[in-house]
Amino acid sequence: MRKPWIVGLLLSAVLLGACGDPASEPEAEPPPAVPRASVTTQQRAPASASPSTDPAKPPTVLYLGDSLAMEAQRVLGQELRRELRATYTSAPYSGTTLCDYLEGTGERSLVPDADKAAALVRRLRPDFVVLQFWGNAWGYTPCMDGITYDASRTRYAERYEADAKRLTEQIAAAGETRIVWVLQGPDPITPERVRLVNSLYELRAGASGGLLADAGGTVSAAGARHSWVQYLPCTAYERAHDAYCTQPGRGRTALHRDDDYLHFCLAPTTSTPKPCPVRSPGILRIAREITRVIRESR
């Protein structure tokens, strides 16, 4: 049983959803090629006029999500540019869920109108829209109208499914693109909630011709997809790159900090949301899986 102060600490980390400042920051990002719609939007290159159907043509990718996307956005951009020469834009907001990116939510949303999913699709014309949401379940997102998983799992499921459908429809109406639903990793507090959220993503992808990226599977133990672990055996890539195999003598690497079971950034959380500033194996695993799905779907 977790002690109350530990649960409070973990919840604070979830709400803040930002990585802290280490002694040295990574190399600075290039300046944006177009004006930013918000302080969190990271623009990488001019967007193409229409979706690409040519596998040889670099894709345009839009990345939306919550604090997990906030911490992973820089690494995903690096992987997409390195592997696919992609044009990449990210606009995550910590603490959000699907309804925050719906148009028509107004002041009840944590995402400004300019960064709503449909608004960004109309402006950027991406080939792929990657959606990474852990599934806000505690009621601190106003647009959820106080519906929480703990209070009513049925209402939570119905609302989350409806929001996923509505978001898909708004994105489809805004432009020709493919949605990549990112399946989430294990949750040690409410493990069945992640099963529910992932099943809804699978349902929505199947109904709308979307794609699934099982990034959560890359941070789960073999044969135990929904059992939370802090450490996993190092992959071949991690063994070949010492910074990603955090415990080489034991042949394993850390996915989470001791004080944060949700996020994969190995730097402390702070109140200022930003991309993860340190090498973090879990984030790289997630980014490489999303990149693989996009590469193989072209």
Side-chain angles (χ1 to χ4, degrees):
M1 178 68 67
R2 290 178 181 268
K3 296 183 182 298
W5 70 269
I6 296 178
V7 174
L9 179 61
L10 297 179
L11 179 55
S12 296
V14 172
L15 291 171
L16 295 175
C19 290
D21 296 304
S24 60
E25 286 282 347
E27 185 176 352
E29 292 278 285
V34 299
R36 296 185 182 185
S38 75
V39 294
T40 61
T41 302
Q42 304 290 324
Q43 180 71 35
R44 299 296 180 246
S48 59
S50 61
S52 170
T53 57
D54 181 1
K57 183 179 179 181
T60 299
V61 180
L62 173 62
Y63 185 39
L64 308 177
D66 53 22
S67 59
L68 296 184
M70 173 66 73
E71 67 181 8
Q73 61 182 311
R74 180 175 294 161
V75 175
L76 178 60
Q78 291 170 347
E79 290 297 305
L80 287 169
R81 290 192 300 271
R82 181 174 63 83
E83 291 285 330
L84 304 174
R85 297 180 296 117
T87 296
Y88 171 73
T89 303
S90 61
Y93 284 82
S94 294
T96 58
T97 193
L98 298 176
C99 62
D100 286 292
Y101 281 89
L102 288 169
E103 291 190 314
T105 49
E107 294 180 355
R108 294 168 53 251
S109 170
L110 300 178
V111 175
D113 289 345
D115 282 356
K116 299 296 190 184
L120 289 173
V121 169
R122 284 191 293 269
R123 187 169 81 245
L124 301 173
R125 315 301 295 178
D127 301 307
F128 299 92
V129 178
V130 180
L131 301 178
Q132 180 163 355
F133 292 91
W134 183 78
N136 180 326
W138 290 317
Y140 54 80
T141 298
C143 63
M144 283 293 288
D145 299 319
I147 298 173
T148 65
Y149 180 78
D150 289 337
S152 175
R153 299 183 182 187
T154 299
R155 289 187 66 204
Y156 174 84
E158 291 173 348
R159 175 60 184 275
Y160 208 79
E161 181 178 9
D163 286 346
K165 182 175 185 294
R166 188 178 170 196
L167 186 59
T168 301
E169 292 170 346
Q170 288 191 359
I171 290 173
E176 183 181 352
T177 188
R178 297 194 74 182
I179 296 176
V180 181
W181 294 95
V182 181
L183 301 183
Q184 299 304 288
D187 174 3
I189 305 300
T190 55
E192 292 304 314
R193 186 198 57 79
V194 166
R195 291 180 185 269
L196 168 63
V197 167
N198 285 344
S199 69
L200 293 177
Y201 294 159
E202 291 169 354
L203 176 66
R204 185 57 16 216
S208 61
L211 300 168
L212 293 171
D214 190 10
T218 69
V219 291
S220 304
R225 174 63 177 79
H226 293 94
S227 296
W228 185 88
V229 291
Q230 184 175 2
Y231 300 92
L232 280 179
C234 297
T235 64
Y237 178 90
E238 289 162 355
R239 290 194 298 271
H241 298 78
D242 291 343
Y244 289 102
C245 192
T246 58
Q247 295 183 332
R250 304 179 66 178
R252 66 180 195 173
T253 195
L255 301 178
H256 305 278
R257 290 173 52 87
D258 292 341
D259 58 357
D260 189 344
Y261 74 91
L262 171 60
H263 297 100
F264 295 93
C265 183
L266 298 184
T269 57
T270 73
S271 59
T272 305
K274 64 176 64 178
C276 184
V278 299
R279 290 184 177 90
S280 300
I283 288 177
L284 183 61
R285 290 183 181 211
I286 289 169
R288 287 166 68 91
E289 177 61 15
I290 295 171
T291 300
R292 182 194 67 78
V293 169
I294 292 175
R295 180 179 65 246
E296 294 182 0
S297 68
R298 302 175 65 229

